[in-house]
Amino acid sequence: MEASAPGRARRGWRRARAAGSPLSRAAVVLVVSALVLWAPPSVGYLDRLPRNANLPQDSVKIVGSPNIPVKVYVMLHQKSPHVLCVTQRLRNSELIDPSFQWHGPKGKIISENSTAQITSTGSLVFQNFEESMSGVYTCFLEYKPTVEEVIKNLQLKYVVYAYREPHYYYQFTARYHAAPCNSIYNISFEKKLLQILSKLVLDLSCEVSLLKSECHRIKMQRAGLQNELFFTFSVSSLDTEKGPKPCADHSCESSKRLSKAKNLIERFFNQQVEVLGRRAEPLPEIYYIEGTLQMVWINRCFPGYGMNILKHPRCPECCVICSPGSYNSRDGIHCLQCNSSLVFGAKTCL
């Protein structure tokens, strides 16, 4: 089978090196800079939506259980759903002279509270939910089923968790044939490469960060030594939970923008192979080694938060707070334990 043009070119480059052909350091910048002209047009901004579409929204009302505490998940700095002081059965029943009283981690909650409000029907609603508001909330209900019957009492418990979206980003590694490891040309090339990658993803409200750059001498199979640069960099979204969103369109989220950024970067490295494959002049001193680009999707929680689909099945992709208030085992409540070592699969804290 006939070899591809890039393959023939690469074998030609190696033969040229073996023959001692001079290589132009100036060509290093030309190779990468030429790719800027091929950069795709600006991509429209994408908005972020919570990935946990199954979570209760503000219009949803959560009822209690007389048997076990009910878990409630509230996104950090957002308004909570309505937490009702009734069971599902009582919600569909008529209650005579009902009286509601709520107690939280800091004691009795009054209706005038600015952060936790009690409605006229006894529902608890949180405004701008903070980490410190996580914990066990208990509702005490008094009512008569009928006018003739005696007053009945009911106690309902809820465990309210703060949660936040994970920190998503892509981690890339790539290898370049390099100048001698102590050469200043490697440092100059590294800066130029990061500038180009950052420009590629800027319109997507993403950023590129260099995680590690190392130069090593590699003994090739049945060949001599060569110098190689090992680049490790990340691509992450610039938007934050409290900061302004990159757009207001609900059809977009940070993961989609990151996916577009990933595609741009993969195309950039593929184009380097194509450009070098068409060169007639000698190979530059620093060039991308075809097939060495590797990518991993990282999904991490911020410190103090973690994922656990077994303990939080209704919020499987949420980074749930690890220590929500004063729990005790007698209530059957166990705090989510966070690990610090796992990265891939991202069911951990940083």
Side-chain angles (χ1 to χ4, degrees):
M1 182 179 294
E2 185 179 355
S4 62
R8 292 194 303 270
R10 288 184 58 79
R11 287 196 291 272
W13 299 338
R14 294 193 182 102
R15 287 196 295 268
R17 282 195 175 278
S21 300
L23 298 174
S24 169
R25 289 190 172 94
V28 172
V29 176
L30 292 178
V31 170
V32 181
S33 297
L35 297 176
V36 177
L37 300 177
W38 293 10
S42 299
V43 182
Y45 283 144
L46 300 173
D47 194 15
R48 178 179 67 177
L49 289 174
R51 294 171 59 85
N52 312 289
N54 61 325
L55 290 181
Q57 303 300 317
D58 178 54
S59 60
V60 175
K61 301 182 186 300
I62 301 176
V63 297
S65 169
N67 303 316
I68 58 174
V70 173
K71 295 180 180 180
V72 181
Y73 303 92
V74 184
M75 179 174 275
L76 205 59
H77 311 303
Q78 301 297 318
K79 185 178 180 180
S80 75
H82 286 240
V83 183
L84 307 187
C85 189
V86 291
T87 62
Q88 185 62 46
R89 183 182 65 83
L90 291 178
R91 187 184 182 189
N92 299 321
S93 303
E94 192 175 67
L95 306 181
I96 307 298
D97 297 329
S99 173
F100 311 94
Q101 189 175 112
W102 282 92
H103 287 258
K106 298 180 181 179
K108 183 179 179 180
I109 301 174
I110 57 177
S111 58
E112 292 79 13
N113 193 314
S114 60
T115 56
Q117 300 175 350
I118 301 176
T119 68
S120 59
T121 56
S123 297
L124 179 65
V125 182
F126 298 98
Q127 307 287 339
N128 190 26
F129 197 78
E130 300 289 343
E131 293 180 355
S132 60
M133 298 163 67
S134 299
V136 177
Y137 288 79
T138 305
C139 174
F140 299 91
L141 169 64
E142 291 184 352
Y143 69 98
K144 288 183 178 181
T146 63
V147 175
E148 293 79 13
E149 293 185 61
V150 298
I151 295 176
K152 291 192 174 184
N153 297 283
L154 180 65
Q155 178 178 311
L156 301 174
K157 286 195 174 184
Y158 298 85
V159 187
V160 183
Y161 295 89
Y163 81 94
R164 60 196 304 178
E165 291 189 52
H167 176 49
Y168 304 105
Y169 64 95
Y170 284 103
Q171 181 172 299
F172 290 87
T173 57
R175 291 163 64 175
Y176 278 79
H177 191 284
C181 287
N182 58 355
S183 173
I184 62 173
Y185 293 103
N186 292 337
I187 299 176
S188 177
F189 178 81
E190 173 189 305
K191 293 180 180 179
K192 183 67 176 178
L193 179 61
L194 288 176
Q195 288 175 2
I196 294 174
L197 293 174
S198 297
K199 185 176 180 180
L200 281 176
V201 302
L202 182 61
D203 285 342
L204 292 169
S205 290
C206 294
E207 65 176 349
V208 175
S209 301
L210 179 65
L211 302 179
K212 184 168 61 174
S213 177
E214 296 177 343
C215 182
H216 297 279
R217 299 185 69 195
I218 308 298
K219 171 65 172 66
M220 306 304 295
Q221 294 180 357
R222 299 182 182 181
L225 293 172
Q226 72 177 30
N227 302 302
E228 290 188 11
L229 289 173
F230 290 70
F231 286 108
T232 302
F233 60 94
S234 65
V235 180
S236 57
S237 175
L238 283 170
D239 52 301
T240 61
E241 288 175 328
K242 289 187 176 182
K245 303 295 185 294
C247 72
D249 187 354
H250 288 284
S251 65
C252 57
E253 58 185 22
S254 60
S255 61
K256 293 182 179 179
R257 286 184 287 108
L258 282 172
S259 179
K260 287 182 177 287
K262 173 186 74 74
N263 293 337
L264 293 180
I265 289 176
E266 289 177 335
R267 183 185 303 178
F268 169 77
F269 281 92
N270 289 335
Q271 288 174 344
Q272 290 185 65
V273 176
E274 296 173 7
V275 169
L276 292 176
R278 292 195 297 264
R279 287 173 56 90
E281 58 268 24
L283 188 66
E285 187 158 28
I286 302 177
Y287 62 88
Y288 168 64
I289 300 176
E290 183 179 356
T292 61
L293 182 68
Q294 302 292 327
M295 181 273 298
V296 176
W297 170 251
I298 305 294
N299 175 6
R300 278 179 167 172
C301 293
F302 290 89
Y305 291 78
M307 290 184 185
N308 192 314
I309 190 172
L310 297 179
K311 294 183 180 179
H312 301 288
R314 294 188 65 229
C315 209
E317 294 186 3
C318 305
C319 287
V320 181
I321 192 168
C322 295
S323 301
S326 55
Y327 286 10
N328 63 76
S329 58
R330 288 176 298 176
D331 293 329
I333 305 165
H334 303 281
C335 177
L336 170 66
Q337 298 299 316
C338 291
N339 300 319
S340 59
S341 57
L342 291 177
V343 175
F344 312 114
K347 306 209 186 273
T348 66
C349 296
L350 284 175

